[in-house]
Amino acid sequence: MKLVRLQANSERDFERMYDLIVHNFSREHKMGSLSASEFNVEKGLRWWTINASCAAWAMEDEEGNFVASIGLHEDEPWYSTKKFLTDGWLFVRKDKRYQNMATVLIETAKEFAKERGMPLMIGIFNIEEIEGKVKAFQLMDMKLVSAIFMAGE
């Protein structure tokens, strides 16, 4: 596996990310009516551009396919002008989990944020395996600072 920095203007990078998202993420992401099963390509392209223009990486397999990725963008709390980096996505293909890919991507994002003197916030937006993911983040020296709850479908 090879870590690659993605380019917002690269059609090839976008096509490989599209394949990862549409054929993998959108099929397994579970959040009730907010699940990614009805992926909107136009909105996805805008989100890709916002994040890849800031910073995005992927783990590339021997065949050149993306099997894991993280994208970052700048944001700020509603109550402050202090900026932070946050993920637009963090996803590892199911058959590639438990191979340290998420760790490589997160550590790369942490280093990027540190170089810019900005905090990094990464969210877990799914209803499956939340406790295990929280533990994994904590093992990477990240603090639990928030929670999101959902009512209805």
Side-chain angles (χ1 to χ4, degrees), residues 8-135:
N9 60 353
S10 168
E11 189 174 322
R12 183 168 185 255
D13 284 356
F14 175 75
E15 288 171 356
R16 292 186 293 170
M17 275 302 301
Y18 179 85
D19 184 63
L20 179 65
I21 298 301
V22 171
H23 296 113
N24 295 276
F25 171 79
S26 67
R27 291 182 180 168
E28 76 173 75
H29 180 258
K30 305 285 187 252
M31 271 182 47
S33 63
L34 300 177
S35 296
S37 58
E38 295 183 32
F39 182 75
N40 181 300
V41 176
E42 183 179 327
K43 189 171 184 179
L45 178 58
R46 284 193 309 267
W47 197 237
W48 154 263
T49 303
I50 289 167
N51 287 271
S53 294
C54 180
W57 296 268
M59 298 300 292
E60 182 182 72
D61 69 11
E62 298 76 26
E63 290 82 37
N65 300 308
F66 290 164
V67 297
S69 183
I70 189 169
L72 303 178
H73 61 276
E74 289 186 13
D75 204 348
E76 57 189 46
W78 65 268
Y79 53 82
S80 171
T81 58
K82 174 84 171 141
K83 293 194 179 296
F84 61 91
L85 288 168
T86 189
D87 68 308
W89 66 82
L90 171 61
F91 178 72
V92 178
R93 213 170 69 185
K94 198 169 209 160
D95 64 324
K96 301 296 182 183
R97 293 183 188 152
Y98 309 104
Q99 297 180 29
N100 266 356
M101 288 185 217
T103 301
V104 170
L105 293 167
I106 292 167
E107 291 300 329
T108 301
K110 285 168 61 178
E111 184 61 31
F112 182 83
K114 182 179 177 183
E115 289 169 2
R116 277 144 190 80
M118 300 171 76
L120 172 66
M121 306 273 285
I122 298 177
I124 300 170
F125 291 91
N126 204 331
I127 59 173
E128 296 180 348
E129 303 172 3
I130 293 171
E131 292 83 6
K133 291 173 185 173
V134 168
K135 284 182 185 179

